[in-house]
């Protein structure tokens, strides 16, 4: 498997993507993308944030723009290791209904069962680009040719729509959605992947893997992101085992009665 990253390159963006005037929470940031998750907080990937300058870089959306005044990269982030960052804006961008962040870390199997998802970037057709992708699974680590292993926490997607130069930091939303408002944000574009068969894939950093860190950074300004609320229920397998156990017990009792 080969993977490629792009930092702040000119807008090329989603291969196979289409024009959209929606997804106003997805904005241009440092020649790449970021996602507004509160009125003055933007979530992006660390390798994009590393190219920003507080006081001069800007985040630009369909609903307005604001100057970056603080940049927070995840502790120890070194591409592709923990490729996630938060950016604080000097002024709030109003009028944007932000997405909801997925709060459950997806396993490889859980991710593969999601089916379709929506990729949206601020670096594509004018002004934003969007496309439907297929979620393949997850990849938690990556080992390079020198044997160094990094923590990636990637969700991997495939299909005729995939990321290329300029798409870093763009969004992956759960399901097929028509806007970023109240959509469930699964991840942020971190890398383009070519598998052993030469097929193009995209790798998105799972936001759920960094929930505690995101909450702690945003709490410094008294703000918080919106997270998807989940209710813990017994695993289907548990109920199935219980059912089998009860059925077996009933069968045993009937047999005992018949032979008594």
């Amino acid at each position: 498997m080969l993977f490629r990253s792009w930092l702040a390159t000119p807008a090329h963006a989603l291969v196979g993507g289409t024009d959209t005037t929606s997804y106003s929470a997805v904005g241009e940031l440092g020649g790449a993308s970021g996602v507004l998750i509160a009125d003055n907080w933007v979530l992006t990937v660390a390798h994009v944030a590393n190219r920003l300058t507080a006081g001069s870089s800007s985040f630009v959306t369909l609903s307005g723009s604001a100057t970056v005044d603080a940049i927070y990269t995840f502790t120890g982030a070194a591409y592709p290791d923990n490729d996630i960052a938060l950016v604080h804006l000097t002024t709030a961008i109003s009028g944007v209904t932000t997405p909801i962040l997925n709060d459950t870390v997806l396993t490889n199997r859980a991710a593969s069962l999601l089916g379709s998802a929506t990729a949206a970037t601020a670096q594509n057709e004018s002004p934003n680009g969007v496309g439907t992708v297929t979620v393949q699974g997850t990849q938690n680590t990556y080992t390079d040719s020198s044997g160094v292993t990094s923590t990636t926490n990637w969700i991997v997607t495939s299909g005729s729509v995939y990321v290329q130069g300029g798409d870093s930091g763009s969004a992956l939303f759960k399901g097929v959605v028509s806007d970023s408002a109240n959509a469930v944000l699964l991840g942020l574009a971190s890398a383009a992947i070519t598998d052993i068969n030469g097929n193009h894939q995209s790798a998105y950093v799972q936001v759920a893997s960094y929930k505690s860190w995101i909450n702690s950074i945003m709490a410094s300004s008294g703000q918080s992101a919106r997270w998807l609320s989940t209710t813990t229920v017994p695993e289907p397998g548990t109920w199935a085992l219980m059912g089998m156990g009860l059925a077996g017990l009933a069968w045993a009792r009937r047999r005992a009665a018949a032979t008594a």
Side-chain angles (χ1 to χ4, degrees):
M1 178 195 71
L2 299 175
F3 82 91
R4 301 179 179 85
S5 67
W6 291 277
L7 305 181
T9 58
H12 303 297
L14 291 175
V15 175
T18 58
D19 291 342
T20 179
T21 54
S22 299
Y23 303 89
S24 55
V26 182
E28 189 277 330
L29 181 68
S33 294
V35 183
L36 192 71
I37 59 171
D39 58 8
N40 59 350
W41 282 99
V42 176
L43 196 58
T44 188
V45 289
H47 75 264
V48 169
N50 287 339
R51 297 183 64 92
L52 302 176
T53 302
S56 61
S57 298
S58 297
F59 177 67
V60 183
T61 73
L62 299 171
S63 299
S65 63
T67 302
V68 173
D69 67 3
I71 302 161
Y72 305 88
T73 56
F74 188 79
T75 304
Y79 191 81
D81 205 16
N82 295 305
D83 192 25
I84 194 165
L86 271 167
V87 174
H88 188 263
L89 305 176
T90 303
T91 56
I93 296 178
S94 59
V96 178
T97 301
T98 57
I100 302 168
L101 278 61
N102 179 52
D103 73 349
T104 303
V105 177
L106 299 173
T107 62
N108 185 60
R109 175 169 171 75
S112 67
L113 293 176
L114 287 177
S116 297
T118 301
T121 179
Q123 289 291 315
N124 196 20
E125 293 76 17
S126 181
N128 284 1
V130 64
T132 300
V133 298
T134 300
V135 180
Q136 291 294 303
T138 62
Q139 182 176 325
N140 295 327
T141 61
Y142 174 80
T143 302
D144 65 19
S145 58
S146 63
V148 177
T149 298
S150 300
T151 299
T152 55
N153 292 317
W154 283 338
I155 297 173
V156 179
T157 67
S158 65
S160 59
V161 174
Y162 53 90
V163 298
Q164 61 170 329
D167 285 325
S168 293
S170 59
L172 180 69
F173 296 112
K174 182 180 180 180
V176 180
V177 296
S178 59
D179 197 359
S180 53
N182 295 318
V184 177
L185 180 66
L186 296 174
L188 305 163
S190 176
I193 295 174
T194 303
D195 68 15
I196 57 174
N197 297 314
N199 299 313
H200 294 287
Q201 298 177 321
S202 305
Y204 293 82
V205 180
Q206 284 207 60
V207 296
S209 298
Y210 301 92
K211 180 178 179 179
S212 297
W213 177 78
I214 292 170
N215 285 343
S216 66
I217 296 297
M218 294 181 68
S220 64
S221 66
Q223 292 178 283
S224 61
R226 295 192 299 153
W227 294 89
L228 177 68
S229 296
T230 57
T231 301
T232 302
V233 296
E235 291 289 335
T238 302
W239 289 112
L241 289 172
M242 289 175 63
M244 290 173 63
L246 292 173
L249 179 60
W251 177 83
R253 286 176 174 172
R254 287 197 299 271
R255 183 176 181 184
T259 57

